[in-house]
């Protein structure tokens, strides 16, 4: 939607030259996973970071790539046992993420730009469960689309952006990331 708005408003907005950039994003990763009955199973907010590279092809179109990690998501989940009873599991997850995004850019004359677009993230997760006696661990890979919005302020060689990305997990997982990104333009 922002990309279409950017194209519609193109004649009234000052042009910016093509540019490559790189940077670092620091943020918070919110994660919630529900059990089979829809009740919260794991819920936590942890710090995250990403190393970013990008290229603005046109005034209103940029592509970005990034690699990052989350902190360790920790929670205690109560799980029913057979034939009756429950057990408390200490759960921990950690994700590494490889992302590519296509963003529409709506630049204004005062250095502010609005961004919106779609991304694709390859997430590799490490997990472990323990009840204090027995434990299990493993890893899984998932590929998730994401929806991104942000606001950026540009100087000559630097830019700062506040962004929000919502990951579209299937099923009972809800995840999002809020990031403050610092860019250097080449």
């Amino acid at each position: 939607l922002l990309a279409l708005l950017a194209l519609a408003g193109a004649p009234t907005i000052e042009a910016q030259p093509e540019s490559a950039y790189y940077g670092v994003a620091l943020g918070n990763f919110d994660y919630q996973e529900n059990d089979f009955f829809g009740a919260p199973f794991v819920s936590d907010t942890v710090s995250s970071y990403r190393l970013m590279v990008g290229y603005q092809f046109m005034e209103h179109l940029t592509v970005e790539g990034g690699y990052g990690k989350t902190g360790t998501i920790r929670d205690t989940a109560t799980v029913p046992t057979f034939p009756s009873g429950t057990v408390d599991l200490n759960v921990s997850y950690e994700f590494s993420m490889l992302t590519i995004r296509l963003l529409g850019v709506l630049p204004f004359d005062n250095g502010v730009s609005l961004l919106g677009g779609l991304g694709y993230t390859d997430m590799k997760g490490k997990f472990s469960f323990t009840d204090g006696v027995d434990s299990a661990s493993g890893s899984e890979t998932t590929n998730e689309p994401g929806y991104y919005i942000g606001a950026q302020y540009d100087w000559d060689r630097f830019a700062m952006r506040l962004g929000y990305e919502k990951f579209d997990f299937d099923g009972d997982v809800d995840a999002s990331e809020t990031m403050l990104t610092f860019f250097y333009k080449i």
Side-chain angles (χ1 to χ4, degrees), residues 31-43 75-80 93 171-174:
Y31 184 85
Q32 181 173 330
E33 183 175 345
N34 296 327
D35 63 14
F36 297 115
F37 307 107
F41 178 67
V42 175
S43 181
D75 203 355
T76 302
T78 302
V79 178
Y93 294 142
D172 298 321
V173 176
D174 213 9

Side-chain angles (χ1 to χ4, degrees), residues 24 42 47 74 97 138 175:
V24 62
V42 175
S47 61
R74 299 179 195 279
M97 300 177 286

Side-chain angles (χ1 to χ4, degrees), residues 111-129:
V112 174
S113 299
L114 300 178
L115 300 100
L118 300 173
Y120 179 80
T121 302
D122 178 48
M123 294 180 139
K124 292 184 176 28
K126 294 185 213 172
F127 61 86
S128 65
F129 305 98

Side-chain angles (χ1 to χ4, degrees), residues 28-33 41-48 69-77 89-97 123-129 140 167 169 173-177:
N28 284 329
F29 186 80
D30 295 317
Y31 184 85
Q32 181 173 330
E33 183 175 345
F41 178 67
V42 175
S43 181
D44 198 4
T45 300
V46 296
S47 61
S48 62
K69 288 192 171 199
T70 68
T72 303
I73 299 163
R74 299 179 195 279
D75 203 355
T76 302
L89 288 178
N90 294 319
V91 180
S92 66
Y93 294 142
E94 186 176 289
F95 291 101
S96 60
M97 300 177 286
M123 294 180 139
K124 292 184 176 28
K126 294 185 213 172
F127 61 86
S128 65
F129 305 98
E140 66 177 329
F167 300 101
F169 279 89
V173 176
D174 213 9
S176 62
E177 189 173 23

Side-chain angles (χ1 to χ4, degrees), residues 120-159:
Y120 179 80
T121 302
D122 178 48
M123 294 180 139
K124 292 184 176 28
K126 294 185 213 172
F127 61 86
S128 65
F129 305 98
T130 183
D131 63 2
V133 177
D134 296 317
S135 64
S137 63
S139 63
E140 66 177 329
T141 300
T142 181
N143 300 301
E144 304 302 333
Y147 310 100
Y148 185 87
I149 59 171
Q152 179 170 305
Y153 187 80
D154 288 283
W155 292 274
D156 277 342
R157 292 302 231 176
F158 297 96

